[in-house]
Amino acid sequence: MNSNLIRNRFMDFFRSKGHFIAPSAPLVIKDDPTLMFTNAGMNQFKDIFLGNRPSLHSRIANTQKCLRVSGKHNDLEEVGIDTYHHTLFEMLGNWSFGDYFKKEAIEWAWELLTEGYGLPASRIYVTVFGGDEKEGLENDDEAFEIWRKIVGKDRIIYGSKKDNFWEMGDSGPCGPCSEIHMDLRGEKEIKNNPGKNLVNAGHPLVIEIWNLVFIQYNRNTDGKLTMLPQKHVDTGMGFERLAMAIQGKLSNYDTDVFTPIIHAIEKESGIRYGQGEKTDIAARVIADHIRAIAFAISDGQLPSNVKAGYVIRRILRRAVRYGFTYLGFNKPVIYRLADVVALQFQDVFPEVIAQKDFISKVILEEESSFLRTLENGLKRFDQLRSQLKGDRKIIDGRTVFELYDTFGFPVDLTALIARENGLLVDESGFSKAMDEQKIRSKNASKTDTGDWVILNDNAEAVFVGYENLESESRITRYREIKSRDKKEFQIVLDRTPFYAESGGQAGDTGYMQSGDEKIRIKDTRKENDLIIHFSESLPADPAAIFQCRVDDLRRRLTENNHSATHLLHAALRKVLGSHVQQKGSLVNEKILRFDFSHFAKLSREEILAVEQMVNQKIREDIRRDERRDIALEEAKKMGAMALFGEKYGEKVRVIVFDENYSIELCGGTHVPSTGRIGLFKIISESSIAAGVRRIEAVTANEAENYINARLDILEQINSALKSPSDTYQAVLNLLEERNAVVHELETFKTEKAGNLKGELMGKVKVIGGINIIVENIGNQDASTVKNLAFQLRQLVEPLYLVLGNVSGGKPQLTVMLSDSLVSGKKLNAGNIIRELAREISGGGGGQAFYATAGGKDITGIDRALKKAGEFLVGTVN
Ligand code: SER
């Protein structure tokens, strides 16, 4: 059974049990501060479990792209070293939202594994939760009883909280779980040691393949468990492991999920997989990591230096280093594997193939840049290792920081290389060094988020802000956020006119008022579908009724920019081509910023064409056509483009400005008709990453201000030039005249220096065989004096030259000596100048044959020159 068939059979099975088949959520999470990446199939349903929003379906199944590289679930260290952990993996899951519970979840899992996939019952063991005294939780005897009837009690193991109580992070929905394990070893080994002894013991062939979680609690941020209003089921089955079990392989990497990538790596390296421990690990690491990287980039997460972007960079660097050290990849190679991944998943995750050129380009850039520092970093590592004294086995934090800061080694990469060398790294010392740097760059901040205070359990706020900028509302919950230097509150309302930042549009500001008390709302954001209002204070009576009001001018200006962004997007696709895809956007009351895929700098003509098209659409005063609650499929048929990496519900909102021009899926707020935008002006075009360009533009009054500011400059230039008929020509003339004058001045200076040289040569005094020139040459610039000194050195030998001059109103001294005086007579220009400089209240230095000094006291020049002779005493005689 190939892997596509395995996946499809899962869907067919749960469809037959009344489940709706949902799409995978994007890998990158944008509205949950507790989680950067989807790490389990249940993440996208967290709100439904919490009761924040209802589900359209009570039963859902899907395959979810998951990444476990940070936070509570982090498998990175095992990846590649073993054969069954991954950074990115697919999780097949089925969910019940307040519908079926343990019995069906268990019975169906069994039916699918044994009948649907034909896996042998004799190889299956199950675990159930064995209670936890500290948490006050009992054994899950209910699950035990259900399993007992299916597999008999000998195949059931009670497990601890660590293995059998599932939590997605430090807080969130959770519950006891029952895992299904498979023993994939040979008969002989099984006879020697029954699989039951090896469950959850880290054996590569006795592995968990499916986890059935019975969600019934929420873990609060204070660590306490509270009961959820309803009971739910969340199951997750590792697709790659399932494929291994069904295909009778001993490693995930031997299944058809991975073999195409492994083959491509063999081809690139010329090293066969299965021939050596180290080279195999490297091949597995790269095969695993390229999937994580390609999927993350296709969902809009570019590698960067912060947060989720840095996680992707770390994974990529880990892959590059394994390739470099063990497979001889000293030139970029990994970027070429993106195509293999794209082809492999074209049917189930088409977002990868749709962007494969872009993905390769981003990886190539990253790979090239890390390869530039990797080799030197590894050398530095070796050097540091050899400097470790005695039997010290720990690389200190500062050193780890140096590798990070100078060579771009993520700390986990240094730790990995250290481990390979039998060493450890001082991670807390590294964090300290990092913190010190952060404090130096003043962006350290630690916040403390309190638990929600619930006033009304129905947290699903109604957003009325498409039609109204005012509402009468009550607070449903609030919490306090403390950070080092400030305190703020987050407030959720039962109905709100405030637009929460999303889709690039800034959140609304405004106020909420009850009686005389007015609370300023300084921002509005979304978190797990809750609309959260940020304020600096809490009303005296949170249970009161509030009049809420959005700052309307700010909202209207923001809308101008948002609608203009749609017009711009459409214009870019028309002018540059349909490869243009939105990669990011930011819209507020001042500016709009639009990032998009395109491989070259825009020419002046292209920018003008885009700008003209947008302004034309503004003048056409096209009415906004807003369609709410239409099915995603219908919207796509209309021509709306879904953005990769965005999470869409089944029902979407579509904003149309002229059916033949701009149709976008969008939750933002927009102008009633395009005329209100007034004017559109692009103010910059730049590159922000490989294959991604950024346009910044302004509209309405900001566009007017921008243009007026430029016209003002022109006015000032005109008036300074006495209003010429052609300003540009006048400036060119001016530059030409200036160049001529500069040229003339240079010639004059050269002539003058020539004369001076002649004059000085005429003043040479010969004492004891040494040619001495000591002169005050008046106003001369420093470079003229320097040239003069070097020319005289060529002409006169042996030369003892001391010059005094004034440059820019300041006294200067120069000493120049022939080599024979330096080596033969032990004179030193540097020493001489230090003595002389005192006379002009200054200081200086230089080399033994040439030194200069600057000072403050012009009257001292002659004193210094008089003194200059003293150094020759004893030398001449
Ligand atoms: N949430 C559980 C897990 O990730 C089951 O889906 O293992």
Side-chain angles (χ1 to χ4, degrees):
M1 211 185 281
N2 74 29
S3 53
N4 281 331
L5 195 59
I6 294 174
R7 194 188 288 112
N8 290 341
R9 188 158 292 182
F10 182 90
M11 303 309 158
D12 291 344
F13 179 82
F14 281 103
R15 199 181 283 114
S16 79
K17 307 283 185 204
H19 289 64
F20 172 78
I21 306 302
S24 172
L27 207 48
V28 187
I29 296 187
K30 295 184 180 144
D31 61 353
D32 187 342
T34 65
L35 208 58
M36 284 197 274
F37 296 101
T38 296
N39 69 5
M42 55 77 72
N43 296 162
Q44 65 165 317
F45 306 116
K46 183 175 156 189
D47 285 333
I48 305 178
F49 288 139
L50 290 174
N52 291 347
R53 73 176 158 100
S55 174
L56 291 178
H57 310 274
S58 60
R59 299 177 180 189
I60 286 182
N62 76 353
T63 182
Q64 172 66 51
K65 315 175 250 191
C66 299
L67 196 61
R68 291 199 168 170
V69 284
S70 54
K72 185 172 168 66
H73 297 280
N74 184 350
D75 294 333
L76 188 62
E77 277 185 20
E78 281 86 23
V79 173
I81 314 283
D82 71 22
T83 52
Y84 59 104
H85 278 99
H86 297 292
T87 54
L88 176 117
F89 63 99
E90 275 182 69
M91 189 183 277
L92 301 168
N94 57 292
W95 288 272
S96 149
F97 304 112
D99 186 345
Y100 62 83
F101 203 44
K102 294 181 188 175
K103 184 167 184 304
E104 291 85 344
I106 290 174
E107 286 175 356
W108 288 340
W110 182 257
E111 185 186 333
L112 176 61
L113 290 180
T114 53
E115 289 169 32
Y117 291 130
L119 291 170
S122 62
R123 297 298 187 96
I124 297 177
Y125 294 92
V126 300
T127 64
V128 297
F129 182 49
D132 189 272
E133 228 173 90
K134 258 216 208 114
E135 300 269 12
L137 296 170
E138 311 262 299
N139 283 359
D140 190 353
D141 292 333
E142 186 188 350
F144 184 92
E145 266 316 297
I146 301 167
W147 273 124
R148 192 183 57 78
K149 291 193 191 115
I150 299 173
V151 293
K153 65 179 182 344
D154 288 349
R155 295 191 161 268
I156 311 175
I157 302 158
Y158 273 108
S160 67
K161 186 180 138 193
K162 177 179 149 285
D163 291 320
N164 282 90
F165 192 86
W166 197 85
E167 309 196 40
M168 68 175 253
D170 291 336
S171 61
C174 54
C177 61
S178 176
E179 301 167 336
I180 302 175
H181 292 253
M182 283 211 63
D183 185 351
L184 305 174
R185 295 172 304 152
E187 292 296 342
K188 209 164 124 217
E189 279 174 273
I190 292 182
K191 263 207 193 89
N192 286 343
N193 189 7
K196 194 171 179 184
N197 300 336
L198 297 172
V199 166
N200 274 332
H203 193 290
L205 293 177
V206 183
I207 52 170
E208 175 196 347
I209 57 168
W210 203 345
N211 187 13
L212 318 178
V213 186
F214 311 119
I215 301 267
Q216 55 197 86
Y217 303 103
N218 184 40
R219 172 83 64 192
N220 300 341
T221 49
D222 66 3
K224 287 205 188 77
L225 289 176
T226 46
M227 211 62 172
L228 289 171
Q230 282 189 305
K231 289 180 178 161
H232 315 278
V233 169
D234 151 27
T235 88
M237 173 147 63
F239 171 65
E240 297 78 5
R241 291 183 184 184
L242 177 66
M244 160 161 92
I246 294 175
Q247 294 176 0
K249 305 288 184 192
L250 301 180
S251 151
N252 289 0
Y253 296 88
D254 294 338
T255 66
D256 70 331
V257 182
F258 282 96
T259 42
I261 313 175
I262 294 278
H263 289 328
I265 296 171
E266 285 179 322
K267 227 169 101 199
E268 294 286 357
S269 64
I271 298 173
R272 277 197 34 219
Y273 181 68
Q275 303 291 304
E277 196 194 337
K278 291 268 198 282
T279 50
D280 282 358
I281 291 178
R284 287 197 291 265
V285 165
I286 296 173
D288 173 277
H289 290 10
I290 180 64
R291 297 181 353 134
I293 299 157
F295 275 73
I297 297 173
S298 77
D299 271 352
Q301 185 57 64
L302 299 182
S304 79
N305 244 354
V306 288
K307 299 188 184 155
Y310 191 56
V311 175
I312 301 307
R313 176 164 286 171
R314 272 168 43 210
I315 298 175
L316 185 53
R317 292 191 170 177
R318 193 167 182 268
V320 173
R321 186 269 166 173
Y322 267 104
F324 179 87
T325 304
Y326 299 111
L327 301 177
F329 291 167
N330 51 14
K331 298 247 157 41
V333 167
I334 296 171
Y335 75 101
R336 285 203 285 264
L337 303 172
D339 282 6
V340 186
V341 177
L343 276 178
Q344 172 96 1
F345 291 99
Q346 56 185 334
D347 294 330
V348 39
F349 302 117
E351 57 273 28
V352 185
I353 199 151
Q355 302 174 86
K356 75 180 179 24
D357 293 343
F358 173 70
I359 296 169
S360 295
K361 180 131 189 171
V362 172
I363 299 177
L364 171 62
E365 185 105 335
E366 276 288 306
E367 231 186 323
S368 315
S369 94
F370 187 48
L371 280 169
R372 281 198 285 273
T373 58
L374 177 61
E375 191 169 2
N376 285 334
L378 290 172
K379 278 195 198 127
R380 180 76 182 126
F381 180 89
D382 281 341
Q383 212 177 37
L384 293 162
R385 189 185 50 159
S386 63
Q387 282 165 6
L388 283 181
K389 297 229 169 63
D391 57 359
R392 270 188 69 85
K393 292 250 175 282
I394 298 184
I395 307 200
D396 68 83
R398 297 223 153 265
T399 305
V400 182
F401 183 74
E402 179 198 325
L403 287 166
Y404 161 82
D405 206 33
T406 315
F407 301 101
F409 280 35
V411 59
D412 50 5
L413 180 59
T414 304
L416 174 81
I417 302 170
R419 265 201 310 279
E420 290 173 357
N421 286 281
L423 302 171
L424 295 168
V425 298
D426 174 7
E427 294 207 20
S428 69
F430 170 77
S431 306
K432 220 174 116 209
M434 273 292 261
D435 286 348
E436 279 166 18
Q437 193 206 39
K438 277 197 197 136
I439 289 166
R440 280 198 297 275
S441 62
K442 288 204 177 59
N443 58 14
S445 78
K446 188 172 167 357
T447 52
D448 198 356
T449 308
D451 271 320
W452 287 113
V453 177
I454 312 274
L455 301 184
N456 174 349
D457 218 8
N458 182 8
E460 207 202 347
V462 184
F463 175 62
V464 298
Y466 288 134
E467 296 82 15
N468 302 306
L469 295 185
E470 286 180 320
S471 76
E472 199 165 86
S473 314
R474 285 175 188 274
I475 297 179
T476 55
R477 58 172 73 190
Y478 65 85
R479 68 180 172 192
E480 190 178 335
I481 313 283
K482 276 195 222 127
S483 63
R484 207 175 37 181
D485 39 15
K486 65 172 194 278
K487 185 158 131 176
E488 67 181 10
F489 294 88
Q490 299 185 345
I491 297 171
V492 180
L493 302 169
D494 61 348
R495 47 196 288 113
T496 177
F498 289 90
Y499 179 80
E501 175 189 322
S502 62
Q505 181 177 336
D508 278 335
T509 57
Y511 59 85
M512 44 191 284
Q513 184 162 19
S514 168
D516 291 342
E517 191 184 28
K518 216 170 171 180
I519 304 282
R520 177 92 197 129
I521 302 298
K522 48 182 194 154
D523 196 5
T524 312
R525 283 187 235 153
K526 226 179 218 178
E527 197 178 303
N528 298 316
D529 278 353
L530 287 181
I531 298 177
I532 298 184
H533 307 78
F534 288 72
S535 72
E536 256 145 34
S537 56
L538 199 64
D541 176 12
I545 294 178
F546 296 90
Q547 302 300 324
C548 296
R549 183 157 181 85
V550 172
D551 290 334
D552 56 355
L553 177 62
R554 185 171 173 277
R555 161 76 91 82
R556 284 159 64 94
L557 293 173
T558 307
E559 285 174 355
N560 291 342
N561 282 336
H562 199 159
S563 301
T565 305
H566 286 203
L567 302 184
L568 168 65
H569 188 189
L572 285 168
R573 287 174 65 86
K574 290 210 184 326
V575 172
L576 303 177
S578 58
H579 63 281
V580 166
Q581 296 208 348
Q582 175 167 346
K583 287 282 163 226
S585 88
L586 175 103
V587 171
N588 59 34
E589 78 274 27
K590 292 205 160 4
I591 199 164
L592 68 93
R593 199 172 81 188
F594 188 70
D595 301 338
F596 56 99
S597 49
H598 182 60
F599 292 114
K601 183 167 178 53
L602 269 66
S603 66
R604 178 87 191 123
E605 291 72 36
E606 285 168 335
I607 292 182
L608 283 180
V610 166
E611 211 172 78
Q612 270 163 14
M613 192 177 287
V614 173
N615 278 314
Q616 172 61 30
K617 292 293 163 189
I618 292 174
R619 285 192 294 273
E620 283 173 22
D621 196 19
I622 306 160
R623 230 177 30 80
R624 176 187 71 212
D625 174 3
E626 177 193 339
R627 315 209 185 151
R628 279 189 213 169
D629 280 332
I630 75 166
L632 181 59
E633 283 315 308
E634 196 187 324
K636 285 188 185 162
K637 270 196 214 117
M638 282 171 64
M641 260 192 5
L643 298 186
F644 297 120
E646 270 316 308
K647 189 163 117 190
Y648 296 105
E650 284 163 54
K651 298 280 184 184
V652 292
R653 180 167 173 266
V654 179
I655 297 291
V656 183
F657 288 110
D658 178 350
E659 267 179 355
N660 298 313
Y661 185 70
S662 161
I663 304 177
E664 296 217 20
L665 297 172
C666 182
T669 67
H670 286 274
V671 295
S673 65
T674 57
R676 204 185 78 188
I677 301 169
L679 184 60
F680 170 83
K681 183 80 199 141
I682 292 177
I683 60 172
S684 77
E685 190 275 340
S686 59
S687 154
I688 55 158
V692 185
R693 314 253 0 140
R694 167 171 292 175
I695 281 184
E696 290 185 317
V698 283
T699 63
N701 57 334
E702 288 289 343
E704 210 171 275
N705 293 345
Y706 178 84
I707 291 171
N708 282 338
R710 264 156 186 71
L711 287 176
D712 279 349
I713 295 172
L714 189 59
E715 264 321 297
Q716 285 162 9
I717 294 172
N718 269 332
S719 113
L721 294 178
K722 310 270 181 287
S723 308
S725 55
D726 182 341
T727 313
Y728 180 58
Q729 192 53 50
V731 172
L732 288 184
N733 292 347
L734 202 62
L735 284 175
E736 206 172 300
E737 272 170 36
R738 179 192 164 275
N739 287 344
V741 172
V742 166
H743 184 72
E744 224 170 287
L745 186 66
E746 288 300 328
T747 320
F748 173 74
K749 274 194 192 164
T750 316
E751 262 171 34
K752 200 174 135 204
N755 292 343
L756 198 55
K757 192 167 67 187
E759 252 173 59
L760 290 173
M761 299 260 297
K763 290 188 177 164
V764 172
K765 285 192 197 122
V766 185
I767 304 177
I770 301 175
N771 300 297
I772 298 172
I773 306 173
V774 177
E775 280 299 320
N776 185 338
I777 53 176
N779 272 326
Q780 302 291 344
D781 65 51
S783 68
T784 307
V785 182
K786 185 174 177 184
N787 278 335
L788 190 62
F790 276 86
Q791 284 181 30
L792 288 168
R793 183 171 202 264
Q794 299 291 322
L795 296 172
V796 185
E797 160 69 38
L799 172 68
Y800 179 87
L801 169 77
V802 181
L803 297 175
N805 68 301
V806 177
S807 170
K810 297 262 162 65
Q812 290 179 344
L813 296 168
T814 302
V815 176
M816 174 66 89
L817 307 176
S818 294
D819 289 338
S820 58
L821 298 186
V822 175
S823 51
K825 305 281 186 185
K826 301 279 178 262
L827 286 178
N828 184 314
N831 294 345
I832 298 172
I833 206 92
R834 265 190 289 284
E835 282 304 316
L836 300 185
R838 292 178 192 203
E839 300 298 332
I840 57 169
S841 307
Q847 303 158 59
F849 77 100
Y850 170 66
T852 57
K856 295 188 200 101
D857 181 7
I858 295 181
T859 64
I861 293 181
D862 288 333
R863 286 198 299 278
L865 294 180
K866 213 159 143 211
K867 207 174 175 186
E870 292 171 10
F871 299 96
L872 286 171
V873 179
T875 307
V876 257
N877 300 323

